[in-house]
Amino acid sequence: MEQKILIVDDDKMLRDVLQEFLEGIGYACVQAEDANEALEKYDSSIHKLLIIDRVMPGMDGIELMETIKENNPDQKIIIMTGYPFADSAYAALFADDVDYIIKPFRFNEIATLIKSLI
């Protein structure tokens, strides 16, 4: 079964652009607009990496990460954040399988980060 990246963000334009870029460099992607949809689509056997926005309506990215990690502690996750100073405190809490990137980011930054995680 093909391994995919699950992109979770309430900003459709960002999801679309990120998916187009990642597919252009050889990754398969699937999108979710919020944590609930992500949990419906998530399959640990096919999702090699999750890219999750930190701030979303309803369940936020940190809560989603914690929910995923409860049953799948080795799941690789990137948290996207637009609040680097407030969220930098979370970096100390993240496991080796979780990293974060500050928005706006350059595509080469996220590509390098993805390669380091998977």
PDB file of all heavy atoms in Angstrom, residues 6 8 34-44 47-52 59-79 97-98:
ATOM      1  N   LEU A   6      -0.408  13.184   5.185  1.00  0.00           N
ATOM      2  CA  LEU A   6      -1.714  13.775   5.485  1.00  0.00           C
ATOM      3  C   LEU A   6      -1.481  15.236   5.873  1.00  0.00           C
ATOM      4  O   LEU A   6      -0.766  15.518   6.837  1.00  0.00           O
ATOM      5  CB  LEU A   6      -2.404  13.020   6.614  1.00  0.00           C
ATOM      6  CG  LEU A   6      -3.755  13.552   7.102  1.00  0.00           C
ATOM      7  CD1 LEU A   6      -4.771  13.641   5.978  1.00  0.00           C
ATOM      8  CD2 LEU A   6      -4.290  12.684   8.230  1.00  0.00           C
ATOM      9  N   VAL A   8      -3.096  18.647   7.217  1.00  0.00           N
ATOM     10  CA  VAL A   8      -4.264  19.081   7.995  1.00  0.00           C
ATOM     11  C   VAL A   8      -4.156  20.581   8.247  1.00  0.00           C
ATOM     12  O   VAL A   8      -3.280  21.032   8.995  1.00  0.00           O
ATOM     13  CB  VAL A   8      -4.369  18.338   9.336  1.00  0.00           C
ATOM     14  CG1 VAL A   8      -5.682  18.679  10.031  1.00  0.00           C
ATOM     15  CG2 VAL A   8      -4.218  16.831   9.146  1.00  0.00           C
ATOM     16  N   ASP A  34      -9.775  19.883   8.969  1.00  0.00           N
ATOM     17  CA  ASP A  34      -9.788  20.051  10.419  1.00  0.00           C
ATOM     18  C   ASP A  34      -9.421  18.729  11.089  1.00  0.00           C
ATOM     19  O   ASP A  34      -9.233  17.710  10.415  1.00  0.00           O
ATOM     20  CB  ASP A  34     -11.141  20.577  10.920  1.00  0.00           C
ATOM     21  CG  ASP A  34     -12.315  19.663  10.591  1.00  0.00           C
ATOM     22  OD1 ASP A  34     -12.130  18.423  10.479  1.00  0.00           O
ATOM     23  OD2 ASP A  34     -13.439  20.174  10.468  1.00  0.00           O
ATOM     24  N   ALA A  35      -9.309  18.764  12.391  1.00  0.00           N
ATOM     25  CA  ALA A  35      -8.884  17.577  13.133  1.00  0.00           C
ATOM     26  C   ALA A  35      -9.869  16.421  13.001  1.00  0.00           C
ATOM     27  O   ALA A  35      -9.448  15.261  12.876  1.00  0.00           O
ATOM     28  CB  ALA A  35      -8.678  17.934  14.602  1.00  0.00           C
ATOM     29  N   ASN A  36     -11.158  16.717  13.014  1.00  0.00           N
ATOM     30  CA  ASN A  36     -12.152  15.637  12.896  1.00  0.00           C
ATOM     31  C   ASN A  36     -12.029  14.906  11.568  1.00  0.00           C
ATOM     32  O   ASN A  36     -12.057  13.670  11.519  1.00  0.00           O
ATOM     33  CB  ASN A  36     -13.567  16.185  13.085  1.00  0.00           C
ATOM     34  CG  ASN A  36     -13.829  16.595  14.511  1.00  0.00           C
ATOM     35  OD1 ASN A  36     -13.253  16.047  15.443  1.00  0.00           O
ATOM     36  ND2 ASN A  36     -14.693  17.581  14.702  1.00  0.00           N
ATOM     37  N   GLU A  37     -11.891  15.669  10.482  1.00  0.00           N
ATOM     38  CA  GLU A  37     -11.724  15.035   9.174  1.00  0.00           C
ATOM     39  C   GLU A  37     -10.402  14.265   9.126  1.00  0.00           C
ATOM     40  O   GLU A  37     -10.327  13.179   8.547  1.00  0.00           O
ATOM     41  CB  GLU A  37     -11.773  16.084   8.060  1.00  0.00           C
ATOM     42  CG  GLU A  37     -11.694  15.480   6.679  1.00  0.00           C
ATOM     43  CD  GLU A  37     -11.766  16.494   5.554  1.00  0.00           C
ATOM     44  OE1 GLU A  37     -11.892  17.717   5.814  1.00  0.00           O
ATOM     45  OE2 GLU A  37     -11.695  16.053   4.388  1.00  0.00           O
ATOM     46  N   ALA A  38      -9.367  14.814   9.742  1.00  0.00           N
ATOM     47  CA  ALA A  38      -8.072  14.131   9.777  1.00  0.00           C
ATOM     48  C   ALA A  38      -8.186  12.784  10.480  1.00  0.00           C
ATOM     49  O   ALA A  38      -7.643  11.783  10.011  1.00  0.00           O
ATOM     50  CB  ALA A  38      -7.036  15.010  10.476  1.00  0.00           C
ATOM     51  N   LEU A  39      -8.898  12.763  11.603  1.00  0.00           N
ATOM     52  CA  LEU A  39      -9.057  11.499  12.335  1.00  0.00           C
ATOM     53  C   LEU A  39      -9.859  10.486  11.525  1.00  0.00           C
ATOM     54  O   LEU A  39      -9.597   9.279  11.611  1.00  0.00           O
ATOM     55  CB  LEU A  39      -9.707  11.755  13.696  1.00  0.00           C
ATOM     56  CG  LEU A  39      -8.815  12.487  14.702  1.00  0.00           C
ATOM     57  CD1 LEU A  39      -9.620  12.904  15.932  1.00  0.00           C
ATOM     58  CD2 LEU A  39      -7.611  11.638  15.092  1.00  0.00           C
ATOM     59  N   GLU A  40     -10.821  10.950  10.732  1.00  0.00           N
ATOM     60  CA  GLU A  40     -11.590  10.049   9.865  1.00  0.00           C
ATOM     61  C   GLU A  40     -10.705   9.455   8.768  1.00  0.00           C
ATOM     62  O   GLU A  40     -10.843   8.292   8.414  1.00  0.00           O
ATOM     63  CB  GLU A  40     -12.761  10.793   9.221  1.00  0.00           C
ATOM     64  CG  GLU A  40     -13.873  11.156  10.182  1.00  0.00           C
ATOM     65  CD  GLU A  40     -14.937  12.037   9.542  1.00  0.00           C
ATOM     66  OE1 GLU A  40     -14.956  12.186   8.300  1.00  0.00           O
ATOM     67  OE2 GLU A  40     -15.759  12.586  10.304  1.00  0.00           O
ATOM     68  N   LYS A  41      -9.798  10.264   8.216  1.00  0.00           N
ATOM     69  CA  LYS A  41      -8.970   9.836   7.089  1.00  0.00           C
ATOM     70  C   LYS A  41      -7.679   9.141   7.522  1.00  0.00           C
ATOM     71  O   LYS A  41      -7.084   8.415   6.731  1.00  0.00           O
ATOM     72  CB  LYS A  41      -8.617  11.040   6.208  1.00  0.00           C
ATOM     73  CG  LYS A  41      -9.801  11.610   5.480  1.00  0.00           C
ATOM     74  CD  LYS A  41      -9.389  12.759   4.580  1.00  0.00           C
ATOM     75  CE  LYS A  41     -10.578  13.225   3.743  1.00  0.00           C
ATOM     76  NZ  LYS A  41     -10.172  14.290   2.809  1.00  0.00           N
ATOM     77  N   TYR A  42      -7.247   9.378   8.741  1.00  0.00           N
ATOM     78  CA  TYR A  42      -5.952   8.877   9.199  1.00  0.00           C
ATOM     79  C   TYR A  42      -5.909   7.353   9.242  1.00  0.00           C
ATOM     80  O   TYR A  42      -6.811   6.699   9.745  1.00  0.00           O
ATOM     81  CB  TYR A  42      -5.632   9.435  10.593  1.00  0.00           C
ATOM     82  CG  TYR A  42      -4.367   8.880  11.189  1.00  0.00           C
ATOM     83  CD1 TYR A  42      -3.132   9.201  10.641  1.00  0.00           C
ATOM     84  CD2 TYR A  42      -4.409   8.020  12.279  1.00  0.00           C
ATOM     85  CE1 TYR A  42      -1.960   8.687  11.182  1.00  0.00           C
ATOM     86  CE2 TYR A  42      -3.241   7.513  12.826  1.00  0.00           C
ATOM     87  CZ  TYR A  42      -2.023   7.844  12.271  1.00  0.00           C
ATOM     88  OH  TYR A  42      -0.868   7.327  12.811  1.00  0.00           O
ATOM     89  N   ASP A  43      -4.824   6.815   8.705  1.00  0.00           N
ATOM     90  CA  ASP A  43      -4.565   5.383   8.741  1.00  0.00           C
ATOM     91  C   ASP A  43      -3.067   5.221   8.972  1.00  0.00           C
ATOM     92  O   ASP A  43      -2.253   5.567   8.102  1.00  0.00           O
ATOM     93  CB  ASP A  43      -4.981   4.736   7.424  1.00  0.00           C
ATOM     94  CG  ASP A  43      -4.790   3.229   7.410  1.00  0.00           C
ATOM     95  OD1 ASP A  43      -3.964   2.703   8.186  1.00  0.00           O
ATOM     96  OD2 ASP A  43      -5.462   2.571   6.598  1.00  0.00           O
ATOM     97  N   SER A  44      -2.696   4.735  10.130  1.00  0.00           N
ATOM     98  CA  SER A  44      -1.279   4.635  10.483  1.00  0.00           C
ATOM     99  C   SER A  44      -0.500   3.726   9.543  1.00  0.00           C
ATOM    100  O   SER A  44       0.718   3.856   9.425  1.00  0.00           O
ATOM    101  CB  SER A  44      -1.115   4.163  11.927  1.00  0.00           C
ATOM    102  OG  SER A  44      -1.651   2.864  12.087  1.00  0.00           O
ATOM    103  N   HIS A  47      -0.148   6.433   6.291  1.00  0.00           N
ATOM    104  CA  HIS A  47       0.314   7.815   6.465  1.00  0.00           C
ATOM    105  C   HIS A  47       1.685   7.817   7.137  1.00  0.00           C
ATOM    106  O   HIS A  47       1.806   7.616   8.334  1.00  0.00           O
ATOM    107  CB  HIS A  47      -0.708   8.644   7.243  1.00  0.00           C
ATOM    108  CG  HIS A  47      -1.946   8.870   6.459  1.00  0.00           C
ATOM    109  ND1 HIS A  47      -3.146   8.300   6.789  1.00  0.00           N
ATOM    110  CD2 HIS A  47      -2.162   9.590   5.327  1.00  0.00           C
ATOM    111  CE1 HIS A  47      -4.066   8.651   5.902  1.00  0.00           C
ATOM    112  NE2 HIS A  47      -3.485   9.433   5.004  1.00  0.00           N
ATOM    113  N   LYS A  48       2.699   8.062   6.328  1.00  0.00           N
ATOM    114  CA  LYS A  48       4.089   8.083   6.793  1.00  0.00           C
ATOM    115  C   LYS A  48       4.352   9.335   7.628  1.00  0.00           C
ATOM    116  O   LYS A  48       5.169   9.311   8.540  1.00  0.00           O
ATOM    117  CB  LYS A  48       5.011   8.044   5.572  1.00  0.00           C
ATOM    118  CG  LYS A  48       6.465   7.965   5.874  1.00  0.00           C
ATOM    119  CD  LYS A  48       6.832   6.592   6.355  1.00  0.00           C
ATOM    120  CE  LYS A  48       8.343   6.450   6.439  1.00  0.00           C
ATOM    121  NZ  LYS A  48       8.728   5.168   6.981  1.00  0.00           N
ATOM    122  N   LEU A  49       3.632  10.426   7.316  1.00  0.00           N
ATOM    123  CA  LEU A  49       3.868  11.716   7.963  1.00  0.00           C
ATOM    124  C   LEU A  49       2.574  12.508   7.980  1.00  0.00           C
ATOM    125  O   LEU A  49       1.786  12.437   7.039  1.00  0.00           O
ATOM    126  CB  LEU A  49       4.936  12.490   7.181  1.00  0.00           C
ATOM    127  CG  LEU A  49       5.210  13.927   7.591  1.00  0.00           C
ATOM    128  CD1 LEU A  49       5.973  13.972   8.915  1.00  0.00           C
ATOM    129  CD2 LEU A  49       6.010  14.648   6.516  1.00  0.00           C
ATOM    130  N   LEU A  50       2.361  13.258   9.059  1.00  0.00           N
ATOM    131  CA  LEU A  50       1.252  14.213   9.132  1.00  0.00           C
ATOM    132  C   LEU A  50       1.841  15.605   9.232  1.00  0.00           C
ATOM    133  O   LEU A  50       2.787  15.826   9.998  1.00  0.00           O
ATOM    134  CB  LEU A  50       0.371  13.964  10.353  1.00  0.00           C
ATOM    135  CG  LEU A  50      -0.656  12.832  10.249  1.00  0.00           C
ATOM    136  CD1 LEU A  50       0.009  11.488  10.270  1.00  0.00           C
ATOM    137  CD2 LEU A  50      -1.674  12.949  11.346  1.00  0.00           C
ATOM    138  N   ILE A  51       1.303  16.536   8.461  1.00  0.00           N
ATOM    139  CA  ILE A  51       1.663  17.948   8.553  1.00  0.00           C
ATOM    140  C   ILE A  51       0.418  18.643   9.063  1.00  0.00           C
ATOM    141  O   ILE A  51      -0.616  18.657   8.386  1.00  0.00           O
ATOM    142  CB  ILE A  51       2.102  18.512   7.191  1.00  0.00           C
ATOM    143  CG1 ILE A  51       3.296  17.723   6.649  1.00  0.00           C
ATOM    144  CG2 ILE A  51       2.435  19.999   7.323  1.00  0.00           C
ATOM    145  CD1 ILE A  51       3.722  18.131   5.241  1.00  0.00           C
ATOM    146  N   ILE A  52       0.482  19.185  10.280  1.00  0.00           N
ATOM    147  CA  ILE A  52      -0.707  19.671  10.986  1.00  0.00           C
ATOM    148  C   ILE A  52      -0.535  21.143  11.346  1.00  0.00           C
ATOM    149  O   ILE A  52       0.467  21.540  11.937  1.00  0.00           O
ATOM    150  CB  ILE A  52      -0.928  18.866  12.281  1.00  0.00           C
ATOM    151  CG1 ILE A  52      -1.050  17.368  11.995  1.00  0.00           C
ATOM    152  CG2 ILE A  52      -2.152  19.384  13.032  1.00  0.00           C
ATOM    153  CD1 ILE A  52      -1.067  16.489  13.248  1.00  0.00           C
ATOM    154  N   MET A  59     -10.771  21.215  17.587  1.00  0.00           N
ATOM    155  CA  MET A  59      -9.553  20.615  18.122  1.00  0.00           C
ATOM    156  C   MET A  59      -8.342  21.238  17.423  1.00  0.00           C
ATOM    157  O   MET A  59      -8.286  21.254  16.198  1.00  0.00           O
ATOM    158  CB  MET A  59      -9.567  19.101  17.881  1.00  0.00           C
ATOM    159  CG  MET A  59      -8.355  18.380  18.456  1.00  0.00           C
ATOM    160  SD  MET A  59      -8.245  16.630  17.973  1.00  0.00           S
ATOM    161  CE  MET A  59      -9.726  15.949  18.705  1.00  0.00           C
ATOM    162  N   ASP A  60      -7.384  21.753  18.197  1.00  0.00           N
ATOM    163  CA  ASP A  60      -6.221  22.377  17.567  1.00  0.00           C
ATOM    164  C   ASP A  60      -5.170  21.322  17.203  1.00  0.00           C
ATOM    165  O   ASP A  60      -5.334  20.131  17.482  1.00  0.00           O
ATOM    166  CB  ASP A  60      -5.639  23.498  18.434  1.00  0.00           C
ATOM    167  CG  ASP A  60      -4.927  23.016  19.690  1.00  0.00           C
ATOM    168  OD1 ASP A  60      -4.539  21.834  19.783  1.00  0.00           O
ATOM    169  OD2 ASP A  60      -4.742  23.842  20.602  1.00  0.00           O
ATOM    170  N   GLY A  61      -4.108  21.775  16.567  1.00  0.00           N
ATOM    171  CA  GLY A  61      -3.089  20.867  16.075  1.00  0.00           C
ATOM    172  C   GLY A  61      -2.367  20.091  17.159  1.00  0.00           C
ATOM    173  O   GLY A  61      -1.997  18.929  16.962  1.00  0.00           O
ATOM    174  N   ILE A  62      -2.143  20.718  18.305  1.00  0.00           N
ATOM    175  CA  ILE A  62      -1.465  20.029  19.403  1.00  0.00           C
ATOM    176  C   ILE A  62      -2.350  18.914  19.946  1.00  0.00           C
ATOM    177  O   ILE A  62      -1.892  17.800  20.212  1.00  0.00           O
ATOM    178  CB  ILE A  62      -1.059  21.015  20.522  1.00  0.00           C
ATOM    179  CG1 ILE A  62      -0.123  22.102  19.981  1.00  0.00           C
ATOM    180  CG2 ILE A  62      -0.422  20.275  21.693  1.00  0.00           C
ATOM    181  CD1 ILE A  62       1.167  21.609  19.368  1.00  0.00           C
ATOM    182  N   GLU A  63      -3.639  19.203  20.103  1.00  0.00           N
ATOM    183  CA  GLU A  63      -4.571  18.168  20.575  1.00  0.00           C
ATOM    184  C   GLU A  63      -4.655  17.022  19.580  1.00  0.00           C
ATOM    185  O   GLU A  63      -4.690  15.850  19.980  1.00  0.00           O
ATOM    186  CB  GLU A  63      -5.956  18.770  20.796  1.00  0.00           C
ATOM    187  CG  GLU A  63      -6.020  19.747  21.946  1.00  0.00           C
ATOM    188  CD  GLU A  63      -7.340  20.493  21.998  1.00  0.00           C
ATOM    189  OE1 GLU A  63      -7.759  21.064  20.961  1.00  0.00           O
ATOM    190  OE2 GLU A  63      -7.957  20.503  23.078  1.00  0.00           O
ATOM    191  N   LEU A  64      -4.682  17.351  18.288  1.00  0.00           N
ATOM    192  CA  LEU A  64      -4.711  16.300  17.271  1.00  0.00           C
ATOM    193  C   LEU A  64      -3.448  15.459  17.344  1.00  0.00           C
ATOM    194  O   LEU A  64      -3.505  14.230  17.318  1.00  0.00           O
ATOM    195  CB  LEU A  64      -4.875  16.915  15.877  1.00  0.00           C
ATOM    196  CG  LEU A  64      -4.804  15.936  14.701  1.00  0.00           C
ATOM    197  CD1 LEU A  64      -5.868  14.839  14.815  1.00  0.00           C
ATOM    198  CD2 LEU A  64      -4.934  16.691  13.384  1.00  0.00           C
ATOM    199  N   MET A  65      -2.293  16.116  17.467  1.00  0.00           N
ATOM    200  CA  MET A  65      -1.033  15.400  17.584  1.00  0.00           C
ATOM    201  C   MET A  65      -1.068  14.443  18.781  1.00  0.00           C
ATOM    202  O   MET A  65      -0.697  13.276  18.659  1.00  0.00           O
ATOM    203  CB  MET A  65       0.125  16.380  17.753  1.00  0.00           C
ATOM    204  CG  MET A  65       1.462  15.712  18.004  1.00  0.00           C
ATOM    205  SD  MET A  65       2.725  16.838  18.627  1.00  0.00           S
ATOM    206  CE  MET A  65       2.149  17.122  20.298  1.00  0.00           C
ATOM    207  N   GLU A  66      -1.530  14.937  19.922  1.00  0.00           N
ATOM    208  CA  GLU A  66      -1.590  14.100  21.123  1.00  0.00           C
ATOM    209  C   GLU A  66      -2.532  12.922  20.934  1.00  0.00           C
ATOM    210  O   GLU A  66      -2.244  11.802  21.373  1.00  0.00           O
ATOM    211  CB  GLU A  66      -2.008  14.946  22.325  1.00  0.00           C
ATOM    212  CG  GLU A  66      -0.930  15.935  22.751  1.00  0.00           C
ATOM    213  CD  GLU A  66      -1.400  16.960  23.763  1.00  0.00           C
ATOM    214  OE1 GLU A  66      -2.624  17.108  23.965  1.00  0.00           O
ATOM    215  OE2 GLU A  66      -0.527  17.638  24.348  1.00  0.00           O
ATOM    216  N   THR A  67      -3.664  13.148  20.278  1.00  0.00           N
ATOM    217  CA  THR A  67      -4.625  12.072  20.011  1.00  0.00           C
ATOM    218  C   THR A  67      -4.000  11.004  19.123  1.00  0.00           C
ATOM    219  O   THR A  67      -4.125   9.803  19.400  1.00  0.00           O
ATOM    220  CB  THR A  67      -5.899  12.645  19.359  1.00  0.00           C
ATOM    221  OG1 THR A  67      -6.482  13.600  20.246  1.00  0.00           O
ATOM    222  CG2 THR A  67      -6.904  11.554  19.037  1.00  0.00           C
ATOM    223  N   ILE A  68      -3.321  11.434  18.062  1.00  0.00           N
ATOM    224  CA  ILE A  68      -2.669  10.488  17.154  1.00  0.00           C
ATOM    225  C   ILE A  68      -1.572   9.718  17.883  1.00  0.00           C
ATOM    226  O   ILE A  68      -1.451   8.495  17.763  1.00  0.00           O
ATOM    227  CB  ILE A  68      -2.063  11.231  15.935  1.00  0.00           C
ATOM    228  CG1 ILE A  68      -3.152  11.894  15.081  1.00  0.00           C
ATOM    229  CG2 ILE A  68      -1.165  10.307  15.114  1.00  0.00           C
ATOM    230  CD1 ILE A  68      -4.016  10.973  14.276  1.00  0.00           C
ATOM    231  N   LYS A  69      -0.777  10.417  18.679  1.00  0.00           N
ATOM    232  CA  LYS A  69       0.365   9.801  19.359  1.00  0.00           C
ATOM    233  C   LYS A  69      -0.058   8.807  20.444  1.00  0.00           C
ATOM    234  O   LYS A  69       0.708   7.915  20.781  1.00  0.00           O
ATOM    235  CB  LYS A  69       1.266  10.877  19.975  1.00  0.00           C
ATOM    236  CG  LYS A  69       2.061  11.672  18.965  1.00  0.00           C
ATOM    237  CD  LYS A  69       3.186  10.832  18.454  1.00  0.00           C
ATOM    238  CE  LYS A  69       4.248  11.643  17.755  1.00  0.00           C
ATOM    239  NZ  LYS A  69       5.374  10.812  17.374  1.00  0.00           N
ATOM    240  N   GLU A  70      -1.277   8.956  20.983  1.00  0.00           N
ATOM    241  CA  GLU A  70      -1.752   8.014  22.011  1.00  0.00           C
ATOM    242  C   GLU A  70      -1.693   6.578  21.514  1.00  0.00           C
ATOM    243  O   GLU A  70      -1.276   5.675  22.229  1.00  0.00           O
ATOM    244  CB  GLU A  70      -3.185   8.343  22.431  1.00  0.00           C
ATOM    245  CG  GLU A  70      -3.286   9.476  23.414  1.00  0.00           C
ATOM    246  CD  GLU A  70      -4.735   9.784  23.778  1.00  0.00           C
ATOM    247  OE1 GLU A  70      -5.614   8.910  23.617  1.00  0.00           O
ATOM    248  OE2 GLU A  70      -4.980  10.921  24.216  1.00  0.00           O
ATOM    249  N   ASN A  71      -2.170   6.357  20.293  1.00  0.00           N
ATOM    250  CA  ASN A  71      -2.223   5.009  19.732  1.00  0.00           C
ATOM    251  C   ASN A  71      -1.075   4.701  18.784  1.00  0.00           C
ATOM    252  O   ASN A  71      -0.848   3.544  18.450  1.00  0.00           O
ATOM    253  CB  ASN A  71      -3.545   4.784  18.996  1.00  0.00           C
ATOM    254  CG  ASN A  71      -4.721   4.833  19.946  1.00  0.00           C
ATOM    255  OD1 ASN A  71      -4.653   4.313  21.051  1.00  0.00           O
ATOM    256  ND2 ASN A  71      -5.792   5.478  19.533  1.00  0.00           N
ATOM    257  N   ASN A  72      -0.391   5.746  18.325  1.00  0.00           N
ATOM    258  CA  ASN A  72       0.689   5.581  17.352  1.00  0.00           C
ATOM    259  C   ASN A  72       1.881   6.449  17.760  1.00  0.00           C
ATOM    260  O   ASN A  72       2.155   7.465  17.119  1.00  0.00           O
ATOM    261  CB  ASN A  72       0.201   5.961  15.953  1.00  0.00           C
ATOM    262  CG  ASN A  72      -0.975   5.124  15.528  1.00  0.00           C
ATOM    263  OD1 ASN A  72      -0.825   3.962  15.202  1.00  0.00           O
ATOM    264  ND2 ASN A  72      -2.162   5.710  15.584  1.00  0.00           N
ATOM    265  N   PRO A  73       2.585   6.072  18.825  1.00  0.00           N
ATOM    266  CA  PRO A  73       3.645   6.928  19.365  1.00  0.00           C
ATOM    267  C   PRO A  73       4.800   7.191  18.400  1.00  0.00           C
ATOM    268  O   PRO A  73       5.516   8.169  18.558  1.00  0.00           O
ATOM    269  CB  PRO A  73       4.122   6.171  20.605  1.00  0.00           C
ATOM    270  CG  PRO A  73       3.632   4.785  20.438  1.00  0.00           C
ATOM    271  CD  PRO A  73       2.406   4.844  19.584  1.00  0.00           C
ATOM    272  N   ASP A  74       4.974   6.349  17.391  1.00  0.00           N
ATOM    273  CA  ASP A  74       6.073   6.535  16.443  1.00  0.00           C
ATOM    274  C   ASP A  74       5.675   7.340  15.206  1.00  0.00           C
ATOM    275  O   ASP A  74       6.495   7.529  14.303  1.00  0.00           O
ATOM    276  CB  ASP A  74       6.633   5.180  16.003  1.00  0.00           C
ATOM    277  CG  ASP A  74       7.270   4.436  17.169  1.00  0.00           C
ATOM    278  OD1 ASP A  74       7.791   5.104  18.082  1.00  0.00           O
ATOM    279  OD2 ASP A  74       7.228   3.193  17.164  1.00  0.00           O
ATOM    280  N   GLN A  75       4.421   7.793  15.154  1.00  0.00           N
ATOM    281  CA  GLN A  75       3.963   8.551  13.987  1.00  0.00           C
ATOM    282  C   GLN A  75       4.777   9.831  13.846  1.00  0.00           C
ATOM    283  O   GLN A  75       4.950  10.577  14.793  1.00  0.00           O
ATOM    284  CB  GLN A  75       2.473   8.905  14.124  1.00  0.00           C
ATOM    285  CG  GLN A  75       1.921   9.734  12.970  1.00  0.00           C
ATOM    286  CD  GLN A  75       1.940   8.978  11.659  1.00  0.00           C
ATOM    287  OE1 GLN A  75       1.290   7.957  11.520  1.00  0.00           O
ATOM    288  NE2 GLN A  75       2.687   9.480  10.685  1.00  0.00           N
ATOM    289  N   LYS A  76       5.280  10.091  12.657  1.00  0.00           N
ATOM    290  CA  LYS A  76       6.043  11.305  12.364  1.00  0.00           C
ATOM    291  C   LYS A  76       5.061  12.446  12.087  1.00  0.00           C
ATOM    292  O   LYS A  76       4.106  12.279  11.332  1.00  0.00           O
ATOM    293  CB  LYS A  76       6.940  11.097  11.155  1.00  0.00           C
ATOM    294  CG  LYS A  76       7.803   9.859  11.238  1.00  0.00           C
ATOM    295  CD  LYS A  76       9.157  10.173  11.718  1.00  0.00           C
ATOM    296  CE  LYS A  76      10.094   8.996  11.492  1.00  0.00           C
ATOM    297  NZ  LYS A  76      10.528   8.368  12.675  1.00  0.00           N
ATOM    298  N   ILE A  77       5.330  13.604  12.714  1.00  0.00           N
ATOM    299  CA  ILE A  77       4.423  14.747  12.606  1.00  0.00           C
ATOM    300  C   ILE A  77       5.232  16.036  12.492  1.00  0.00           C
ATOM    301  O   ILE A  77       6.237  16.205  13.187  1.00  0.00           O
ATOM    302  CB  ILE A  77       3.483  14.828  13.825  1.00  0.00           C
ATOM    303  CG1 ILE A  77       2.563  13.605  13.875  1.00  0.00           C
ATOM    304  CG2 ILE A  77       2.671  16.126  13.809  1.00  0.00           C
ATOM    305  CD1 ILE A  77       1.680  13.521  15.108  1.00  0.00           C
ATOM    306  N   ILE A  78       4.752  16.935  11.625  1.00  0.00           N
ATOM    307  CA  ILE A  78       5.261  18.307  11.563  1.00  0.00           C
ATOM    308  C   ILE A  78       4.107  19.217  11.947  1.00  0.00           C
ATOM    309  O   ILE A  78       3.016  19.121  11.379  1.00  0.00           O
ATOM    310  CB  ILE A  78       5.751  18.687  10.153  1.00  0.00           C
ATOM    311  CG1 ILE A  78       6.949  17.826   9.743  1.00  0.00           C
ATOM    312  CG2 ILE A  78       6.119  20.183  10.096  1.00  0.00           C
ATOM    313  CD1 ILE A  78       7.384  18.022   8.294  1.00  0.00           C
ATOM    314  N   ILE A  79       4.340  20.090  12.912  1.00  0.00           N
ATOM    315  CA  ILE A  79       3.357  21.105  13.298  1.00  0.00           C
ATOM    316  C   ILE A  79       3.732  22.398  12.584  1.00  0.00           C
ATOM    317  O   ILE A  79       4.876  22.856  12.677  1.00  0.00           O
ATOM    318  CB  ILE A  79       3.348  21.338  14.833  1.00  0.00           C
ATOM    319  CG1 ILE A  79       2.975  20.066  15.589  1.00  0.00           C
ATOM    320  CG2 ILE A  79       2.422  22.506  15.194  1.00  0.00           C
ATOM    321  CD1 ILE A  79       1.533  19.632  15.456  1.00  0.00           C
ATOM    322  N   ASP A  97       9.907  12.220  16.883  1.00  0.00           N
ATOM    323  CA  ASP A  97       9.105  12.037  15.677  1.00  0.00           C
ATOM    324  C   ASP A  97       8.234  13.246  15.358  1.00  0.00           C
ATOM    325  O   ASP A  97       7.391  13.175  14.474  1.00  0.00           O
ATOM    326  CB  ASP A  97       8.203  10.800  15.830  1.00  0.00           C
ATOM    327  CG  ASP A  97       9.023   9.534  15.967  1.00  0.00           C
ATOM    328  OD1 ASP A  97      10.109   9.460  15.369  1.00  0.00           O
ATOM    329  OD2 ASP A  97       8.584   8.623  16.673  1.00  0.00           O
ATOM    330  N   VAL A  98       8.397  14.348  16.102  1.00  0.00           N
ATOM    331  CA  VAL A  98       7.594  15.548  15.890  1.00  0.00           C
ATOM    332  C   VAL A  98       8.525  16.743  15.754  1.00  0.00           C
ATOM    333  O   VAL A  98       9.466  16.897  16.519  1.00  0.00           O
ATOM    334  CB  VAL A  98       6.611  15.797  17.055  1.00  0.00           C
ATOM    335  CG1 VAL A  98       5.797  17.065  16.820  1.00  0.00           C
ATOM    336  CG2 VAL A  98       5.687  14.604  17.249  1.00  0.00           C
TER     337      VAL A  98
END
